[in-house]
């Protein structure tokens, strides 16, 4: 289903509606340690998204809830339209304040949410640990021991070149999973 979401997201249509946005094909940008040009998002392909969701046991679309902050993250409405056009059944759930949004997300009361995170350290490990680590995330609802091991391995890599390789591995793993 996560892979199907990547195929379902028509980034070109989204960007055409918001010319102030810049496209990103990567989870970690080129300016951050751990950037890996091989970890690109797949091209939009609604048929592939539908094939993957059917294979995952959802031949009539996956029902999902997308949390967002009304008045701050109004792009969520467009994202929901795009995903639904590709066969998903996403419902937008608006929160009046950032506090309500964070409280709901901290409890795992979501399937999807919009957000952004920038590393104060300029290190992709910081981004992945804060967003997806089961022990380090602000939203600890993703529990994946294999992913947590990748985080630990990267944080313990002593040589800078080893650290970069480990963070690039996390970048690819995240894209694939």
């Amino acid at each position: 289903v996560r892979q199907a979401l990547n195929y379902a997201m028509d980034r070109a249509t989204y960007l055409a509606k918001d010319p102030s946005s810049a496209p990103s094909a990567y989870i970690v940008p080129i300016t951050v340690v751990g950037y890996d040009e091989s970890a690109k998002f797949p091209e939009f392909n609604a048929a592939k998204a539908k094939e993957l969701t059917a294979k995952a046991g959802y031949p009539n679309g996956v029902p999902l809830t997308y949390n967002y902050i009304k008045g701050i993250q109004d792009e969520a409405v467009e994202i929901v339209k795009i995903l639904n056009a590709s066969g998903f059944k996403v419902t937008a759930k608006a929160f009046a304040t950032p506090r309500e949004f964070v409280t709901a997300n901290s409890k795992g009361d979501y399937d999807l949410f919009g957000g952004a995170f920038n590393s104060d350290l300029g290190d992709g490990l910081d981004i992945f640990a804060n967003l997806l680590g089961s022990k380090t995330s602000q939203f600890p609802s993703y529990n994946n021991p294999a992913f947590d091991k990748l985080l630990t391995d990267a944080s313990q890599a002593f040589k800078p070149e080893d650290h970069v390789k480990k963070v690039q591995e996390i970048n690819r793993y995240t894209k694939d999973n």
Side-chain angles (χ1 to χ4, degrees), residues 7-69:
Y7 284 104
M9 188 60 207
D10 184 351
R11 291 168 181 84
T13 295
Y14 174 76
L15 291 170
K17 296 192 185 263
D18 183 5
S20 68
S21 293
S24 177
Y26 311 98
I27 297 168
V28 171
I30 194 168
T31 55
V32 174
V33 170
Y35 166 77
D36 180 351
E37 67 182 26
S38 73
K40 289 183 180 181
F41 292 121
E43 294 293 322
F44 169 66
N45 185 332
K48 179 76 172 174
K50 289 175 184 177
E51 173 190 324
L52 288 170
T53 55
K55 186 176 175 183
Y58 299 94
N60 299 315
V62 180
L64 300 169
T65 301
Y66 188 112
N67 288 358
Y68 75 101
I69 307 165

Side-chain angles (χ1 to χ4, degrees), residues 99-164:
R99 182 179 303 273
E100 291 173 6
F101 171 80
V102 169
T103 298
N105 288 356
S106 294
K107 293 176 183 174
D109 184 21
Y110 67 92
D111 296 305
L112 305 167
F113 69 90
F117 187 87
N118 189 15
S119 171
D120 294 333
L121 307 173
D123 190 328
L125 179 61
D126 185 35
I127 295 171
F128 292 120
N130 277 290
L131 293 177
L132 297 170
S134 67
K135 296 173 182 66
T136 56
S137 173
Q138 300 172 41
F139 307 107
S141 58
Y142 181 66
N143 187 359
N144 181 333
F147 184 80
D148 287 337
K149 180 167 179 358
L150 291 171
L151 293 174
T152 299
D153 291 349
S155 71
Q156 293 176 350
F158 183 71
K159 294 180 181 176
E161 59 272 17
D162 293 341
H163 175 78
V164 169

